[in-house]
Amino acid sequence: ALNMILNKYSYNKNDIIFIDDNASHLLDPKNQGFQVYLSNWVDLNNDKHIQIAKDNNIRILDSINLIQ
C-alpha cells in the first residue's frame, strides 16, 4: 500500500511516515526504506512488540514523546 501511494502521488520514501501499534507490521516497510514508528499511545503494546521494535531499530512513540 505504501508503494502504491508513492507511485500515485509521486512521493519519495522520506515523505511518508508509517505508524502502527503492531511491530510486525513495521518490519517490511522499514526494510523497504520507509520511516516507521511503533505507537504506544496508551501502553497497549506488550513486551514482545516493544522488543521487536528495539531489536530492529524501530523508534517507539509513547504519547507525544519519542522514547527510543
Side-chain angles (χ1 to χ4, degrees), residues 1 6-7 10-11 14 18-19 27-29 31 43 48-49 51 54 57-58 61 63-64:
L6 286 179
N7 294 331
S10 300
Y11 289 137
N14 292 335
F18 182 52
I19 301 170
L27 297 175
D28 189 44
N31 291 334
D43 297 323
K48 178 183 173 186
H49 286 285
Q51 193 59 51
K54 288 180 178 181
N57 295 317
I58 294 172
L61 296 172
S63 186
I64 60 169

mmCIF file of all heavy atoms in Angstrom, residues 1 6-7 10-11 14 18-19 27-29 31 43 48-49 51 54 57-58 61 63-64:
data_model
loop_
_atom_site.group_PDB
_atom_site.id
_atom_site.type_symbol
_atom_site.label_atom_id
_atom_site.label_comp_id
_atom_site.label_asym_id
_atom_site.label_seq_id
_atom_site.Cartn_x
_atom_site.Cartn_y
_atom_site.Cartn_z
ATOM 1 N N ALA A 1 0.826 -1.193 0.000
ATOM 2 C CA ALA A 1 0.000 0.000 0.000
ATOM 3 C C ALA A 1 0.872 1.259 0.000
ATOM 4 O O ALA A 1 0.550 2.233 -0.670
ATOM 5 C CB ALA A 1 -0.930 -0.002 1.202
ATOM 6 N N LEU A 6 3.284 5.980 -3.051
ATOM 7 C CA LEU A 6 4.464 6.594 -3.684
ATOM 8 C C LEU A 6 4.233 6.832 -5.167
ATOM 9 O O LEU A 6 4.497 7.911 -5.692
ATOM 10 C CB LEU A 6 5.686 5.692 -3.530
ATOM 11 C CG LEU A 6 6.362 5.588 -2.196
ATOM 12 C CD1 LEU A 6 7.531 4.617 -2.279
ATOM 13 C CD2 LEU A 6 6.831 6.937 -1.706
ATOM 14 N N ASN A 7 3.759 5.799 -5.818
ATOM 15 C CA ASN A 7 3.575 5.885 -7.270
ATOM 16 C C ASN A 7 2.439 6.819 -7.664
ATOM 17 O O ASN A 7 2.559 7.579 -8.622
ATOM 18 C CB ASN A 7 3.336 4.486 -7.845
ATOM 19 C CG ASN A 7 4.551 3.607 -7.706
ATOM 20 O OD1 ASN A 7 5.679 4.078 -7.691
ATOM 21 N ND2 ASN A 7 4.321 2.320 -7.577
ATOM 22 N N SER A 10 3.584 10.500 -6.534
ATOM 23 C CA SER A 10 4.974 10.871 -6.823
ATOM 24 C C SER A 10 5.721 11.330 -5.571
ATOM 25 O O SER A 10 6.491 12.289 -5.608
ATOM 26 C CB SER A 10 5.035 11.960 -7.899
ATOM 27 O OG SER A 10 4.441 11.508 -9.089
ATOM 28 N N TYR A 11 5.474 10.650 -4.462
ATOM 29 C CA TYR A 11 6.212 10.927 -3.227
ATOM 30 C C TYR A 11 7.512 10.145 -3.215
ATOM 31 O O TYR A 11 7.684 9.173 -3.941
ATOM 32 C CB TYR A 11 5.398 10.512 -2.000
ATOM 33 C CG TYR A 11 4.206 11.367 -1.687
ATOM 34 C CD1 TYR A 11 3.008 10.786 -1.316
ATOM 35 C CD2 TYR A 11 4.266 12.747 -1.741
ATOM 36 C CE1 TYR A 11 1.890 11.552 -1.011
ATOM 37 C CE2 TYR A 11 3.166 13.521 -1.437
ATOM 38 C CZ TYR A 11 1.988 12.922 -1.076
ATOM 39 O OH TYR A 11 0.892 13.681 -0.773
ATOM 40 N N ASN A 14 11.024 9.174 1.872
ATOM 41 C CA ASN A 14 11.249 10.083 3.003
ATOM 42 C C ASN A 14 10.044 10.969 3.298
ATOM 43 O O ASN A 14 9.974 11.589 4.351
ATOM 44 C CB ASN A 14 12.478 10.959 2.765
ATOM 45 C CG ASN A 14 13.747 10.161 2.795
ATOM 46 O OD1 ASN A 14 13.805 9.089 3.412
ATOM 47 N ND2 ASN A 14 14.770 10.648 2.142
ATOM 48 N N PHE A 18 5.179 5.929 8.485
ATOM 49 C CA PHE A 18 4.209 4.871 8.770
ATOM 50 C C PHE A 18 4.249 4.553 10.260
ATOM 51 O O PHE A 18 5.298 4.220 10.807
ATOM 52 C CB PHE A 18 4.533 3.635 7.940
ATOM 53 C CG PHE A 18 3.568 2.502 8.117
ATOM 54 C CD1 PHE A 18 2.205 2.691 7.969
ATOM 55 C CD2 PHE A 18 4.027 1.228 8.412
ATOM 56 C CE1 PHE A 18 1.307 1.639 8.119
ATOM 57 C CE2 PHE A 18 3.141 0.170 8.557
ATOM 58 C CZ PHE A 18 1.779 0.377 8.418
ATOM 59 N N ILE A 19 3.104 4.679 10.914
ATOM 60 C CA ILE A 19 2.980 4.430 12.348
ATOM 61 C C ILE A 19 1.967 3.311 12.542
ATOM 62 O O ILE A 19 0.880 3.339 11.968
ATOM 63 C CB ILE A 19 2.507 5.701 13.088
ATOM 64 C CG1 ILE A 19 3.489 6.844 12.858
ATOM 65 C CG2 ILE A 19 2.334 5.422 14.585
ATOM 66 C CD1 ILE A 19 2.993 8.194 13.347
ATOM 67 N N LEU A 27 8.007 -4.138 9.999
ATOM 68 C CA LEU A 27 9.274 -4.719 9.552
ATOM 69 C C LEU A 27 9.479 -4.609 8.048
ATOM 70 O O LEU A 27 10.545 -4.161 7.597
ATOM 71 C CB LEU A 27 9.366 -6.183 9.997
ATOM 72 C CG LEU A 27 9.378 -6.391 11.511
ATOM 73 C CD1 LEU A 27 9.354 -7.883 11.832
ATOM 74 C CD2 LEU A 27 10.563 -5.706 12.157
ATOM 75 N N ASP A 28 8.507 -4.995 7.254
ATOM 76 C CA ASP A 28 8.658 -4.928 5.796
ATOM 77 C C ASP A 28 8.815 -3.490 5.302
ATOM 78 O O ASP A 28 9.745 -3.204 4.537
ATOM 79 C CB ASP A 28 7.498 -5.635 5.103
ATOM 80 C CG ASP A 28 7.723 -5.790 3.609
ATOM 81 O OD1 ASP A 28 8.851 -6.166 3.218
ATOM 82 O OD2 ASP A 28 6.785 -5.534 2.838
ATOM 83 N N PRO A 29 7.947 -2.559 5.741
ATOM 84 C CA PRO A 29 8.151 -1.172 5.293
ATOM 85 C C PRO A 29 9.516 -0.618 5.708
ATOM 86 O O PRO A 29 10.168 0.090 4.935
ATOM 87 C CB PRO A 29 7.016 -0.406 5.970
ATOM 88 C CG PRO A 29 5.957 -1.421 6.192
ATOM 89 C CD PRO A 29 6.699 -2.698 6.487
ATOM 90 N N ASN A 31 12.289 -2.334 6.119
ATOM 91 C CA ASN A 31 13.285 -2.958 5.237
ATOM 92 C C ASN A 31 13.248 -2.390 3.829
ATOM 93 O O ASN A 31 14.243 -2.460 3.108
ATOM 94 C CB ASN A 31 13.090 -4.474 5.207
ATOM 95 C CG ASN A 31 13.458 -5.121 6.520
ATOM 96 O OD1 ASN A 31 14.261 -4.596 7.282
ATOM 97 N ND2 ASN A 31 12.856 -6.257 6.809
ATOM 98 N N ASP A 43 0.087 2.679 26.201
ATOM 99 C CA ASP A 43 0.765 1.492 26.722
ATOM 100 C C ASP A 43 0.038 0.196 26.389
ATOM 101 O O ASP A 43 -0.053 -0.714 27.209
ATOM 102 C CB ASP A 43 0.981 1.618 28.232
ATOM 103 C CG ASP A 43 1.888 2.776 28.586
ATOM 104 O OD1 ASP A 43 2.839 3.024 27.829
ATOM 105 O OD2 ASP A 43 1.652 3.430 29.609
ATOM 106 N N LYS A 48 6.593 -8.105 23.841
ATOM 107 C CA LYS A 48 7.048 -8.714 22.585
ATOM 108 C C LYS A 48 7.162 -7.666 21.482
ATOM 109 O O LYS A 48 8.168 -7.617 20.770
ATOM 110 C CB LYS A 48 6.085 -9.822 22.166
ATOM 111 C CG LYS A 48 6.447 -10.485 20.861
ATOM 112 C CD LYS A 48 5.410 -11.521 20.457
ATOM 113 C CE LYS A 48 5.692 -12.051 19.066
ATOM 114 N NZ LYS A 48 4.626 -12.945 18.602
ATOM 115 N N HIS A 49 6.142 -6.821 21.319
ATOM 116 C CA HIS A 49 6.183 -5.793 20.274
ATOM 117 C C HIS A 49 7.266 -4.754 20.561
ATOM 118 O O HIS A 49 7.950 -4.301 19.642
ATOM 119 C CB HIS A 49 4.821 -5.106 20.141
ATOM 120 C CG HIS A 49 3.801 -5.967 19.477
ATOM 121 N ND1 HIS A 49 3.794 -6.209 18.127
ATOM 122 C CD2 HIS A 49 2.754 -6.656 19.983
ATOM 123 C CE1 HIS A 49 2.795 -7.005 17.820
ATOM 124 N NE2 HIS A 49 2.144 -7.303 18.940
ATOM 125 N N GLN A 51 10.042 -5.294 22.192
ATOM 126 C CA GLN A 51 11.339 -5.922 21.931
ATOM 127 C C GLN A 51 11.603 -6.058 20.443
ATOM 128 O O GLN A 51 12.719 -5.831 19.989
ATOM 129 C CB GLN A 51 11.431 -7.291 22.614
ATOM 130 C CG GLN A 51 12.843 -7.834 22.647
ATOM 131 C CD GLN A 51 13.814 -6.913 23.365
ATOM 132 O OE1 GLN A 51 13.558 -6.489 24.480
ATOM 133 N NE2 GLN A 51 14.908 -6.572 22.717
ATOM 134 N N LYS A 54 12.713 -2.665 19.275
ATOM 135 C CA LYS A 54 14.087 -2.363 19.714
ATOM 136 C C LYS A 54 15.111 -3.179 18.937
ATOM 137 O O LYS A 54 16.145 -2.651 18.525
ATOM 138 C CB LYS A 54 14.220 -2.610 21.212
ATOM 139 C CG LYS A 54 13.508 -1.570 22.044
ATOM 140 C CD LYS A 54 13.669 -1.843 23.530
ATOM 141 C CE LYS A 54 12.979 -0.767 24.346
ATOM 142 N NZ LYS A 54 13.140 -0.998 25.792
ATOM 143 N N ASN A 57 15.667 -1.634 15.502
ATOM 144 C CA ASN A 57 15.945 -0.191 15.479
ATOM 145 C C ASN A 57 14.749 0.618 14.991
ATOM 146 O O ASN A 57 14.886 1.555 14.200
ATOM 147 C CB ASN A 57 17.179 0.123 14.640
ATOM 148 C CG ASN A 57 18.430 -0.472 15.240
ATOM 149 O OD1 ASN A 57 18.642 -0.403 16.451
ATOM 150 N ND2 ASN A 57 19.246 -1.088 14.417
ATOM 151 N N ILE A 58 13.569 0.223 15.456
ATOM 152 C CA ILE A 58 12.340 0.957 15.154
ATOM 153 C C ILE A 58 12.039 1.857 16.345
ATOM 154 O O ILE A 58 11.990 1.386 17.482
ATOM 155 C CB ILE A 58 11.167 -0.005 14.883
ATOM 156 C CG1 ILE A 58 11.439 -0.809 13.604
ATOM 157 C CG2 ILE A 58 9.849 0.763 14.784
ATOM 158 C CD1 ILE A 58 10.452 -1.920 13.343
ATOM 159 N N LEU A 61 6.957 5.511 19.723
ATOM 160 C CA LEU A 61 6.267 6.728 20.133
ATOM 161 C C LEU A 61 5.384 6.405 21.331
ATOM 162 O O LEU A 61 4.526 5.534 21.251
ATOM 163 C CB LEU A 61 5.400 7.267 18.996
ATOM 164 C CG LEU A 61 6.143 7.722 17.755
ATOM 165 C CD1 LEU A 61 5.142 8.049 16.661
ATOM 166 C CD2 LEU A 61 7.007 8.916 18.069
ATOM 167 N N SER A 63 2.843 8.294 23.742
ATOM 168 C CA SER A 63 2.115 9.551 23.860
ATOM 169 C C SER A 63 2.676 10.472 22.796
ATOM 170 O O SER A 63 2.707 10.122 21.632
ATOM 171 C CB SER A 63 2.240 10.131 25.266
ATOM 172 O OG SER A 63 1.426 11.252 25.411
ATOM 173 N N ILE A 64 3.170 11.623 23.166
ATOM 174 C CA ILE A 64 3.778 12.507 22.171
ATOM 175 C C ILE A 64 5.288 12.545 22.317
ATOM 176 O O ILE A 64 5.962 13.316 21.687
ATOM 177 C CB ILE A 64 3.208 13.950 22.261
ATOM 178 C CG1 ILE A 64 3.469 14.556 23.633
ATOM 179 C CG2 ILE A 64 1.737 13.963 21.901
ATOM 180 C CD1 ILE A 64 3.177 16.021 23.704
#
